[in-house]
Amino acid sequence: MNERVSEESLELRKREFDEFEGFKTLESFISAEQHLHPRSRGFFADILRRIGVASKIIGSRVQRAGLTNVLGKAGRVNIQGEQQMKLDVMSNELLMNTLQWLPAVAGMASEEEEGVMRLPPHPDEHDTYVIMFDPLDGSSNIDANVSIGTIFSIHRRVTKWGACEEVDFLQPGRRLLAAGYVIYGSSTMFVYSTGNGVHGFTLDPEVGEYVLSHPDMRIPDQCRCFSANETNYKHWDEPTKRFADHIRFGSDPHYEKTSSRYIGSMVADFHRNLLYGGVFLYPADKKHPTGKLRLLFECAPLAWLAEQAGGAATTGRQDILDIQPEKLHQRCPIVIGNSREVDLYRQMVADHDQGN
Ligand code: P6P
């Protein structure tokens, strides 16, 4: 097929898929996206499919957590120095086991694991991608039945041969090929992007399939939610306090309908803001001088989704996606959500740095 015919047929195929109003599942959506890349061998699509499968299993365990003895602490501490919950351990092992046999995966990194997991190089060198995940973000809330989530992202490896290296993971978020999360809440939703917008799929438990329920998600312009652990206010720096006060106590009519909402589970706070509009912040403070949240496992993937949905994410002085990671588990401050509020925060930080 010549290039021109292929371009026209791809356009036609994309238009037909976009206009198709029927039952679109995650599976059919991933396949349709794959078919827009005629030379694709389907390895990248396989990764997304497998994450979908693993998330359904994790979701089923989370939904039944109160009924089986998976609640509570696992009696282990992870690399972050945090008590591991039993569901953390299960989710982490499930994702590793599900993904490690894929021909395209050169390695994985998990928030729950100290180092990267190198997989044996494949003879045909298809091991093109590396995957990062936080298997169960917000897990400290598990016992209280609060929404929690899995966060994942995919980079193309930068090394060429043999086993992958840590450098394959230490790439700026701007180079991501895909990122997404699964939120285990009143329903289980798979939300992801491969760079062509953000799309949300709700699990139909009777069918066992994720169904396209939120095509092309965009962060609404209205900042409906201000989301932060406000007990840390006393530890924030001046521009952050000024930003918070402007939204919560200022006279700007733009914030007349803004409410404080904080779940303490980043995936849930982010997901709500993606749907309703809002800004989430976990700035550096005296307790967390470089921020609390992990760059590779939480901030970069969600920042990538935020930008795909018309939003933004910053440390205050640098876009999250432009940070060059130096350590696998490095943390960063983050303000993420509506572009308008993220820009306002950047400006307040700049004014402060210039002595205004
Ligand atoms: P704090 C959960 O442990 C987490 O990593 C994020 O999901 C969440 O946004 C944050 O920490 C909550 O932190 O200090 O408010 O409990």
Side-chain angles (χ1 to χ4, degrees):
M1 181 163 54
N2 67 42
E3 286 301 317
R4 179 166 169 64
V5 170
S6 66
E7 283 304 314
E8 284 170 2
S9 66
L10 284 179
E11 270 312 305
L12 173 63
R13 191 180 281 177
K14 182 170 184 345
R15 197 163 52 250
E16 285 173 343
F17 184 79
D18 290 347
E19 288 160 7
F20 175 61
E21 293 301 321
F23 192 81
K24 283 181 187 172
T25 63
L26 176 64
E27 167 58 38
S28 61
F29 197 90
I30 291 171
S31 296
E33 281 208 313
Q34 177 196 333
H35 293 151
L36 295 177
H37 304 276
R39 293 175 186 78
S40 163
R41 292 168 295 193
F43 294 122
F44 184 76
D46 282 347
I47 295 172
L48 294 171
R49 288 190 188 98
R50 288 290 182 88
I51 294 172
V53 170
S55 71
K56 285 190 239 181
I57 299 169
I58 293 171
S60 72
R61 299 287 192 281
V62 167
Q63 296 301 325
R64 288 186 288 115
L67 304 173
T68 51
N69 67 334
V70 293
L71 275 183
K73 296 180 172 35
R76 290 162 51 177
V77 173
N78 66 10
I79 175 63
Q80 319 290 343
E82 298 162 341
Q83 272 290 344
Q84 280 190 312
M85 308 296 282
K86 289 177 182 175
L87 278 174
D88 271 327
V89 175
M90 179 279 295
S91 306
N92 187 49
E93 289 171 359
L94 182 73
L95 277 163
M96 289 193 297
N97 296 336
T98 305
L99 295 169
Q100 66 179 342
W101 307 114
L102 285 172
V105 179
M108 295 179 272
S110 166
E111 188 196 275
E112 299 294 333
E113 300 287 336
E114 182 169 3
V116 302
M117 289 158 271
R118 293 177 177 81
L119 299 173
H122 288 272
D124 50 9
E125 293 304 326
H126 282 172
D127 50 351
T128 317
Y129 308 109
V130 291
I131 308 172
M132 292 147 288
F133 48 81
D134 180 355
L136 212 53
D137 179 72
S139 56
S140 54
N141 295 294
I142 287 175
D143 291 354
N145 207 17
V146 169
S147 297
I148 53 182
T150 297
I151 307 173
F152 65 90
S153 57
I154 305 172
H155 271 305
R156 185 182 302 283
R157 66 182 292 187
V158 293
T159 55
K160 293 301 177 201
W161 307 103
C164 68
E165 301 297 333
E166 194 169 80
V167 68
D168 291 309
F169 298 85
L170 300 181
Q171 301 185 56
R174 201 138 328 262
R175 287 204 211 128
L176 282 169
L177 296 176
Y181 60 84
V182 183
I183 180 167
Y184 311 106
S186 49
S187 64
T188 299
M189 270 194 76
F190 188 103
V191 179
Y192 88 104
S193 173
T194 59
N196 303 306
V198 179
H199 307 285
F201 299 78
T202 299
L203 182 63
D204 178 337
E206 291 177 5
V207 177
E209 283 288 354
Y210 283 111
V211 180
L212 181 63
S213 53
H214 297 68
D216 201 13
M217 300 173 82
R218 305 289 292 174
I219 298 184
D221 292 336
Q222 181 63 37
C223 180
R224 290 275 305 279
C225 303
F226 175 85
S227 186
N229 181 341
E230 297 182 47
T231 60
N232 291 332
Y233 180 91
K234 55 187 174 295
H235 301 305
W236 291 347
D237 64 18
E238 277 316 303
T240 304
K241 288 180 178 176
R242 196 181 308 158
F243 175 73
D245 294 347
H246 176 80
I247 291 178
R248 296 177 307 167
F249 311 130
S251 55
D252 185 336
H254 188 75
Y255 301 111
E256 271 175 14
K257 295 183 179 172
T258 302
S259 300
S260 262
R261 290 284 185 276
Y262 188 69
I263 301 170
S265 173
M266 189 179 189
V267 171
D269 281 314
F270 178 82
H271 183 68
R272 181 207 53 241
N273 289 355
L274 177 59
L275 289 171
Y276 297 163
V279 63
F280 170 92
L281 52 157
Y282 210 112
D285 59 39
K286 296 186 182 84
K287 291 192 297 182
H288 310 92
T290 58
K292 174 183 181 184
L293 301 175
R294 274 64 58 157
L295 172 60
L296 291 185
F297 302 107
E298 294 166 305
C299 297
L302 296 185
W304 201 70
L305 289 172
E307 290 204 6
Q308 283 290 320
T314 182
T315 63
R317 294 178 175 84
Q318 185 179 20
D319 283 4
I320 296 292
L321 294 183
D322 292 333
I323 299 174
Q324 171 55 56
E326 292 167 8
K327 293 180 183 164
L328 205 58
H329 294 282
Q330 83 180 56
R331 300 167 188 262
C332 67
I334 186 168
V335 173
I336 184 171
N338 296 95
S339 293
R340 185 183 190 278
E341 278 62 50
V342 172
D343 288 344
L344 175 64
Y345 183 68
R346 285 192 191 104
Q347 189 55 56
M348 287 186 169
V349 170
D351 289 349
H352 172 268
D353 290 352
Q354 290 155 19
N356 300 331

